[in-house]
Amino acid sequence: MNKYLAECFGTFWLVLGGCGSAVLAAGFPDLGIGFVGVSLAFGLTVLTMAYAIGHISGCHLNPAVSIGLWAGGRFPANQLLPYIIAQVAGGIIAGGVLYVIASGQAGFDLAAGFASNGYGEHSPGGYSMVSALVTEIVMTMMFLIVILGATDKRAPAGFAPIAIGLCLTLIHLISIPVTNTSVNPARSTAVAVFVGDWATAQLWLFWVAPIIGAILGALAYRFIGCEKAENA
């Protein structure tokens, strides 16, 4: 049970820190943190939680990561569903807290997006569904390769949270204009349920694409990172 609670709290922090920075701090004229600030916020949530709960639950904070770790032979199948439930629950709780905070500002409007992920007219840069699909698959694939590589027993010990946090920052720097960056179904669900309408209608892509990308990343790392290949 400690593992599931850790995943719930960790995903809560990821959504509150990452989406909260986008909703509360990114839009101030001249003072807002912008895309770079939001990217750093997401990376910092993972980095800080990796040190805080990594030794308890592994700090997945992401259904796609849990599935990718299972596909990579690093996680038992019987814990997948409880992990995913805990992650989604933590994200939605954070979405609720963020909604209470954000709605205290005069003129607050959920229709502005509430940091939801989207494509087409709901993409920050107006990118198509195909662009969004490719972006989310490729970004999640690379995220899993970095996660599996940084946590490999042959990698330098103690540095994995830094590599993973910086990787998530880079992913956001690349893909915020395309989809507002998901690579995490729990993060997408956490805000989409409050926006409803188009956000829930497009939510399928931000489950399907990250899961496909995570499995591809796990398979790629199993091929390039196996010790037999290294010693051949």
Side-chain angles (χ1 to χ4, degrees):
M1 183 59 69
N2 286 354
K3 292 181 179 181
Y4 309 138
L5 288 173
E7 285 297 304
C8 184
F9 278 110
T11 312
F12 173 92
W13 183 232
L14 181 143
V15 171
L16 188 63
C19 295
S21 69
V23 172
L24 303 175
F28 276 78
D30 301 322
L31 297 174
I33 61 175
F35 285 176
V36 174
V38 174
S39 300
L40 282 169
F42 272 101
L44 288 171
T45 61
V46 170
L47 190 154
T48 52
M49 272 296 129
Y51 281 116
I53 66 168
H55 55 286
I56 301 171
S57 69
C59 191
H60 300 183
L61 316 185
N62 182 338
V65 168
S66 296
I67 292 169
L69 290 173
W70 163 76
R74 301 273 192 93
F75 191 66
N78 63 357
Q79 291 185 29
L80 268 180
L81 185 59
Y83 260 59
I84 291 170
I85 291 171
Q87 291 156 358
V88 173
I92 292 174
I93 293 167
V97 171
L98 181 57
Y99 175 79
V100 171
I101 296 170
S103 61
Q105 183 185 44
F108 169 72
D109 184 8
L110 276 174
F114 199 52
S116 292
N117 302 113
Y119 55 83
E121 64 179 307
H122 303 294
S123 158
Y127 288 86
S128 69
M129 183 182 72
V130 172
S131 294
L133 192 65
V134 171
T135 297
E136 290 292 326
I137 289 173
V138 173
M139 294 301 152
T140 314
M141 180 183 73
M142 296 308 300
F143 194 32
L144 259 292
I145 290 173
V146 171
I147 289 170
L148 289 166
T151 57
D152 194 298
K153 63 184 180 182
R154 295 164 291 169
F159 292 97
I162 298 172
I164 295 167
L166 288 175
C167 180
L168 189 60
T169 299
L170 177 58
I171 285 169
H172 279 77
L173 287 171
I174 297 167
S175 60
I176 286 178
V178 184
T179 62
N180 230 8
T181 309
S182 171
V183 301
N184 184 339
R187 169 260 186 271
S188 298
T189 303
V191 288
V193 295
F194 291 92
V195 177
D197 192 27
W198 65 267
T200 50
Q202 295 189 356
L203 183 59
W204 67 270
L205 187 144
F206 302 104
W207 275 86
V208 172
I211 289 172
I212 292 172
I215 293 171
L216 290 175
L219 295 176
Y221 190 77
R222 290 187 79 156
F223 178 73
I224 64 173
C226 68
E227 293 187 62
K228 287 183 180 178
E230 182 184 74
N231 295 328

